[in-house]
Amino acid sequence: MTVPGARRRETALAYSGGTIDRAGNQRTDPAWVDATLAAAGARVIPLWRDRCIVSGDPAVPAILAASGARAVLEAAAETVFLGLDEGAGFFAADLSPLEESQAVGLAGGERALDVRAFVGTLAPPQAARLGYARGMLYWHRHQQYCGTCGSKTTTGHGGHLRSCRNQECGRLHFPRVEPAVIMLVESAAPPRRCLLARHQGSAPDGFSTLAGFVGVSESLEDAVRREVAEETGVLAGTVTYLGSQGWPFPSGLMVGFRATALTEAVTPDGEEVLEARWFTPAQLTELAAARGRLGREDSIGHYLLQSWLAETI
Ligand SMILES: [Zn+2]
């Protein structure tokens, strides 16, 4: 069956589609990781408490030659191998233990700034790399202790593993992502409409697509149907995958879907969702014009809405 609008996305979303080779087979060898860091061309991305260290306006993130970044590497709480770019190693260094001014000064920047604040000025592979660095360093800072026995953990595999130091436990911890579904719900009967919701804390005209975390032992499709029903009271039938986006804020994976509604009566849950409403393409265009945009441009939610509108034209 052909589902209208079920074309898989073809353009790279922000933070996704990185061109770096993660070298999963090589990074398990500490000698190889050390040699890659010491080799000519190796680069280091310094971060401070999830933020890039930047200069100028628009912001240019500091990406340092490893050979000249000895002080950064020595001060870093963690140095993570990200991957290879045309054979040269890319690493992320976490300067979070320092004060902001110290970290910025050490990295030769002017200030610390979250990648989301300047992603619009970055090429997609660069945004992907900075997001990847952010997500990995966040994970290290939050996996310092073993969740099984409470002992300290130690890093390995170039920063892609933390092992419990308690030999009786020995649990291995790998970086985790938390999947969430995000969906554009479409009416089954004409006129063509999509269901948007205004969430707690959003502006009076701040309507956006529905989204929610995937539960334990739940399929993505079931999560879509459950979230739509919980938040709006609408029952969804067919659920079609459209694409995904790495979302390292701090450790998400957004999985995008189109869902077809079986019912249209809307009963918002009143907690997460204050209001839910069906929008025709013309109404959605009007809303976008009034707000100046359709959601954050770096988000898959924006893509879901834009692609739905584009199919109407
Ligand atoms: Zn343990």
Side-chain angles (χ1 to χ4, degrees):
M1 184 181 76
T2 303
V3 179
R7 291 197 305 268
R8 200 177 180 285
R9 70 178 175 82
E10 290 168 4
T11 52
L13 289 159
Y15 317 114
S16 299
T19 52
I20 206 162
D21 169 8
R22 299 189 180 211
N25 292 333
Q26 291 129 302
R27 72 189 183 205
T28 54
D29 176 1
W32 182 89
V33 174
D34 289 346
T36 303
L37 180 59
R43 295 279 185 277
V44 178
I45 303 172
L47 279 93
W48 179 80
R49 301 181 194 176
D50 296 330
R51 298 184 195 172
C52 297
I53 293 173
V54 304
S55 302
D57 186 15
V60 175
I63 298 178
L64 311 171
S67 56
R70 183 179 295 269
V72 166
L73 292 168
E74 283 176 359
E78 202 69 53
T79 300
V80 171
F81 169 72
L82 297 175
L84 299 172
D85 185 5
E86 296 184 355
F90 261 82
F91 292 79
D94 191 359
L95 299 177
S96 296
L98 305 181
E99 291 303 314
E100 180 175 1
S101 59
Q102 283 180 300
V104 167
L106 209 54
E110 292 174 357
R111 61 196 188 281
L113 189 65
D114 194 345
V115 64
R116 296 194 71 191
F118 62 104
V119 62
T121 67
L122 299 172
Q126 197 179 17
R129 201 164 298 184
L130 296 174
Y132 177 25
R134 187 191 199 277
M136 287 300 297
L137 295 183
Y138 176 92
W139 174 71
H140 278 280
R141 285 204 306 283
H142 293 83
Q143 192 65 72
Q144 292 289 307
Y145 295 90
C146 175
T148 299
C149 75
S151 300
K152 286 282 286 180
T153 58
T154 191
T155 189
H157 291 188
H160 294 259
L161 166 71
R162 293 196 72 88
S163 314
C164 179
R165 287 187 189 175
N166 172 4
Q167 290 189 348
E168 287 178 18
C169 173
R171 185 173 164 193
L172 304 180
H173 302 268
F174 295 94
R176 301 273 175 181
V177 291
E178 295 161 1
V181 290
I182 179 164
M183 46 278 179
L184 186 133
V185 181
E186 192 174 36
S187 61
R192 191 163 182 256
R193 286 152 296 148
C194 69
L195 179 65
L196 301 182
R198 189 164 67 79
H199 293 80
Q200 186 75 255
S202 56
D205 61 350
F207 285 89
S208 59
T209 46
L210 298 165
F213 284 108
V214 180
V216 171
S217 194
E218 182 176 48
S219 74
L220 297 169
E221 292 83 352
D222 287 345
V224 168
R225 296 188 185 97
R226 175 184 53 74
E227 283 286 347
V228 173
E230 282 177 1
E231 294 192 350
T232 69
V234 170
L235 300 180
T238 309
V239 172
T240 308
Y241 173 73
L242 285 187
S244 66
Q245 178 183 38
W247 192 251
F249 310 106
S251 46
L253 169 67
M254 303 301 290
V255 191
F257 293 90
R258 180 78 59 85
T260 305
L262 298 173
T263 62
E264 292 198 2
V266 171
T267 49
D269 66 10
E271 290 180 14
E272 276 186 62
V273 170
L274 300 179
E275 190 182 357
R277 205 191 289 173
W278 292 96
F279 286 81
T280 64
Q283 288 168 331
L284 186 56
T285 304
E286 218 171 273
L287 181 75
R291 304 204 73 208
R293 64 180 188 182
L294 274 175
R296 280 191 62 98
E297 288 182 5
D298 62 344
S299 70
I300 191 172
H302 177 80
Y303 164 78
L304 294 178
L305 292 169
Q306 286 289 6
S307 56
W308 185 77
L309 269 184
E311 287 160 18
T312 307
I313 297 164

